[in-house]
Each structure stands twice: as C-alpha cells, then as structure tokens.
Amino acid sequence: MSLIRVVSYNIHKGRSASGRLASLNELRLGLYGLRPDLVFLQEVQGRNEHKTLLDAQHESLAAALRLDVAYGRNAIRDTTDHGNALLSRFPILDHENVDISDHRMEQRGLLHARIEVDGRAVHCFVVHLGLFAGSRSRQILALTERIGRMVPDGEPILIAGDFNDWGDRLAPLFVQQLGLYEVFSHAPRSHGGELPRLRDSVKRLSNALRGLPNSGVSATQRTNQLGMDGSSRSPLPPPRTFPAVFPWFRLDRIYQRGFAVRSARVLRGREWARLSDHSPLLAELELP
C-alpha cells in the first residue's frame, strides 16, 4: 500500500491575497514543510518578463520540493502567461493540456497527467473552472468525456483544483457518472475536515453545564466518516476555502476514485492567509 500526501492550491500567481506582495518564497517554504507527494496548482505563472522572481513558478517550486513537474499554459498575455501545474514525487509518464475555454473572457485548461505509483498508472487532472455556471457545466462535460475516452475502467483517478462551484452542484454528477468522491466526504472527522459550527459547540457546552447527555459524536462528526463496514454516511459539503482571510465559499476540491481517504484538512491561519486568496487543501490517501 502507498500513502500519498496530496495538496491542491490556487497560488494566485505567486502573490499575496491582496495581490500587492510577492509570496513565492514563502510558498516554497510552506509547501516544503507539508512534505507533499503530489501538488495540484492553479494560477501558476509560467512566464513573467517583468519580474524574474515571479517567472517560471512551476519550475521554481518543483526544484525547491525536488519533484517532477508538468505545466499547462492557459492564459497568454504579451509578457506573461499562467495556467495549471502538477508537481509529483512519482514519475510523470505523460501529460497533455486540453483547452476547455468556454468564451474569450476566460482562458481555461484541463491538465491531464499519468503518473506511476508502485507500478500502477494513476490519472491526475488539474482543473480551474470558469466563473459562470453554464461554462462550468460544459467544462465538466469535457472532463467526463475525456475520462470516459482516456481512462480505463478501474484505474485510479485524482481530480483537484479550483472548481468555482459556489452552489456545490458538481458532486452528484461526479458520483453518478464517474464514481468519484470528494475527499472530505470520506475523511475520518478526527483527522481533518471542518471544525464544528459555533452553535453546535455552544449547544454541547450548554448540555454539559446542565448535566444533560450529549449524543457522543455530533452530527458534524458522524457525517464525515466511513461506517465500520466501509459504507459511506451522508457526506458533508466541501470545506470553505475562499477568501483565505475569512473562508466562506466552497471553491476548492479534491475528488478521488480508487483510494482510501486517511485524512483531509484545510490549512488555515494567518501565515497561510498571507500567501494567497485561497486556502490550500491537504489530503492523505492510500492506494491499496
């Protein structure tokens, strides 16, 4: 069995949440401390002819973490470009960047890479979907079509990135059509996930002070873990990741097929909030 540490992170082109300060040096240190095996990055600047510090960010981060790298260029300007990247501790067998742009105002790509883990092929997809619901629906159709055409039945899949899915409408489609599950819906609550809601904590404290029994494990805890027989219970929604200084929107996701989820968490706190406008996700997955 292989335990794989997976990070998904929209790095905001190596700039702070406000966009005024470069954060790439701190990003290197933060990611290095996580000891990741796979890093799914969005808004990576592959070229910046004005600031050398912000140029070739995928190469800079891969060198610091000593990982292989694949880059998919999506948005091209006169002196800059940016897109998605996959950093991998495992060999990258091949990769292709697919243009899934839905209109001229948004350049979007789908980076599909095959890696080899203990002799098995694992398909990794780095995504950054559009801001409009119609665009996202068409881009998801392009993703599902590619998986149906390029991924043999039973081969493990990881899809991670910034889905811009404000209303959490994509999960049923992934489950029904592809057998993919969002990692927080299958993560043991004691190893990650969102904190209990404030009103739940207050209620439990009130019961304790009044001598009333609490039900052992809160509803929030119960719904985010597998049953003893491996069957899943009603899943929690994906975690809040944007904006990083006060996360409210559930934009960032990691979907998987063929793995056991050992832990999943959002990395929060002042230091992470200074690096980007999104909070990163960290999951530990086991490939049987």
Side-chain angles (χ1 to χ4, degrees):
M1 293 186 181
S2 299
L3 189 65
I4 302 172
R5 293 173 65 86
V6 179
V7 172
S8 181
Y9 201 5
N10 183 325
I11 65 170
H12 201 219
K13 303 175 189 174
R15 294 183 178 275
S16 63
S18 66
R20 292 179 295 180
L21 301 175
S23 61
L24 199 62
N25 287 332
E26 291 78 7
L27 271 168
R28 288 193 199 96
L29 294 173
L31 290 173
Y32 183 85
L34 298 179
R35 297 177 290 108
D37 299 302
L38 289 170
V39 186
F40 294 69
L41 297 176
Q42 308 89 55
E43 290 196 24
V44 180
Q45 202 154 69
R47 176 174 59 100
N48 189 317
E49 297 178 5
H50 293 301
K51 291 192 176 183
T52 305
L53 175 64
L54 298 177
D55 186 54
Q57 294 175 0
H58 57 297
E59 296 177 358
S60 173
L61 291 170
L65 275 61
R66 298 181 179 178
L67 303 177
D68 290 342
V69 61
Y71 173 63
R73 183 176 63 176
N74 300 327
I76 304 172
R77 307 290 186 263
D78 290 339
T79 58
T80 66
D81 64 60
H82 69 270
N84 301 320
L86 177 74
L87 278 56
S88 175
R89 195 172 304 282
F90 307 100
I92 298 177
L93 302 176
D94 49 52
H95 69 277
E96 182 180 3
N97 194 52
V98 181
D99 185 357
I100 56 171
S101 302
D102 193 56
H103 51 83
R104 291 184 178 182
M105 301 302 294
E106 291 184 306
Q107 292 78 44
R108 304 289 180 178
L110 170 67
L111 179 61
H112 176 194
R114 283 194 316 133
I115 64 172
E116 183 178 357
V117 181
D118 292 342
R120 297 179 62 185
V122 175
H123 294 261
C124 299
F125 295 86
V126 193
V127 301
H128 187 183
L129 301 186
L131 296 174
F132 302 103
S135 295
R136 292 194 296 275
S137 296
R138 288 183 284 273
Q139 288 160 356
I140 287 298
L141 286 176
L143 172 60
T144 56
E145 186 276 333
R146 183 173 180 85
I147 290 175
R149 181 167 49 87
M150 302 291 292
V151 180
D153 291 342
E155 288 196 351
I157 296 175
L158 289 170
I159 305 175
D162 179 355
F163 286 79
N164 274 318
D165 184 20
W166 318 90
D168 191 24
R169 299 177 184 273
L170 300 178
L173 187 143
F174 276 114
V175 173
Q176 294 164 11
Q177 296 194 17
L178 299 172
L180 287 152
Y181 295 90
E182 201 271 329
V183 294
F184 282 81
S185 69
H186 284 64
R189 179 62 184 87
S190 60
H191 289 88
E194 290 194 287
L195 296 175
R197 291 174 294 183
L198 179 59
R199 65 172 179 266
D200 293 335
S201 299
V202 170
K203 181 178 179 181
R204 290 174 62 81
L205 176 60
S206 175
N207 286 346
L209 293 175
R210 294 161 58 195
L212 300 176
N214 281 305
S215 58
V217 181
S218 70
T220 302
Q221 291 173 308
R222 286 198 303 270
T223 57
N224 202 31
Q225 52 189 324
L226 293 174
M228 293 298 291
D229 59 354
S231 60
S232 61
R233 299 180 176 153
S234 300
L236 283 176
R240 304 180 192 274
T241 58
F242 180 87
V245 291
F246 187 76
W248 185 253
F249 295 105
R250 308 175 189 275
L251 303 188
D252 301 272
R253 316 278 173 83
I254 302 174
Y255 288 94
Q256 61 83 23
R257 184 179 82 185
F259 294 84
V261 181
R262 295 305 175 212
S263 68
R265 67 193 66 199
V266 185
L267 304 179
R268 296 198 174 108
R270 182 182 303 174
E271 295 305 315
W272 286 109
R274 291 171 54 188
L275 301 185
S276 174
D277 54 351
H278 286 249
S279 298
L281 302 179
L282 171 65
E284 290 184 323
L285 308 177
E286 192 172 279
L287 185 62

